[in-house]
Amino acid sequence: MIVVLKPDSKKKDIELVIKKIHDLGFTPHPITGIKRTVVGAIGDDRGKYRLEILQNLPCVEKLVPILQPYKLASSEFKKRKSVVRVKEAVFGMRHFGIIAGPCSVESERQIIETAVLVKKSGAKMLRGGAYKPRTSPYSFQGLEKEGIRLLAKAREVSGLPFVTEVINPEHVKQVAEEADMLQIGARNVQNFSLLKEAGRSGRPVLLKRGMATTIQEFLMSAEYILSEGCKNVVLCERGIRTFETSTRFTLDISAIPVIHERSHLPIIVDPSHAAGSRVYVGSLVKAAVGAGADGIIVEVHPEPKRAVSDAAQTLDPKAFRALMKDIQLLAEVLKRSL
Ligand code: PEP
Ligand code: MN
């Protein structure tokens, strides 16, 4: 339920509404706008009739039910688009954020070299997996703790913040001590204890859509993170599974306008995992920019052929530089700043 306060409400009125919501067994989520404050009362739907009493407070203008099953993630709850800032990387509204780096952190030399070169081409955040969710237990599983240390070193050298994946709720605290942003991957989109732990970590979260999750399920997963108090969630469309086998997944471009309509959260695109082949990455990025995405996350490696994971979909430095030029041209036309 959204409790809309009258435009002339004072601080003490807002505090009273917040207290009453608490007392009724709901969690208050205030949003202060330019003209007025609204307070979301979020909790178990079965008790929502109890909130009707708030209508009697003199400072309350009206109560508006949130019809979508996701509440804090919905555009009903927050009409103004959210902007998520992670140092220089900014996602949402007119800002287009660019994240680039290898699939996996492999060595100190590899991650530092990548960080320096993607920064030079205009990337604002470094990516790199230290804990890898692999389909086969015999594939490289990541450098784990050592990988996080190397990412921090690459940040020190390049100045780029980094995002890295968490796959286990027990690792979240430790990874969050170093990482600038936590990634939750496609395979963990409905790992609810991981979502909650990430939401409590104090770090911004990059949540990837699962390969078989509907947009509604995806937004419900974002709701888990938001409901733990995290306000900085960036969604990522990375391709869904369809009958088509020519690409690794099918990039659901429609997800971008649909999510913009239903949610205030920024939505970025991962063309690398969607395409599965570097040949298609450029086209998918251009489609994403055109469709209104708020950024991209793309795999880049100094020597893609030697990459220990996802080599076929990884760009080399030259291809990334060329891609950045195309993005700059498109961004200018669409009035997005990089
Ligand atoms: C990744 O970004 O390295 C990754 C594993 O992506 P996804 O979760 O989208 O498959
Ligand atoms: Mn990968």
Side-chain angles (χ1 to χ4, degrees), residues 103 127 129 132-133 165 183-187 208-209 211 238 248-249 270 273 297 299 310:
C103 180
R127 62 148 289 149
K132 296 300 300 176
E165 184 163 353
Q183 176 177 325
I184 294 188
R187 290 154 191 83
K208 298 184 98 178
R209 182 178 179 184
M211 56 192 85
R238 46 77 72 207
R248 189 174 175 191
F249 296 95
D270 174 348
H273 291 88
I297 177 166
E299 287 184 339
D310 288 347

Side-chain angles (χ1 to χ4, degrees), residues 5-6 8-19 39 57-60:
L5 275 75
K6 290 185 179 152
D8 57 353
S9 295
K10 304 278 180 301
K11 194 164 166 248
K12 68 169 182 16
D13 298 322
I14 301 165
E15 281 166 3
L16 176 70
V17 170
I18 288 174
K19 184 179 179 305
V39 186
L57 292 174
C59 63
V60 170

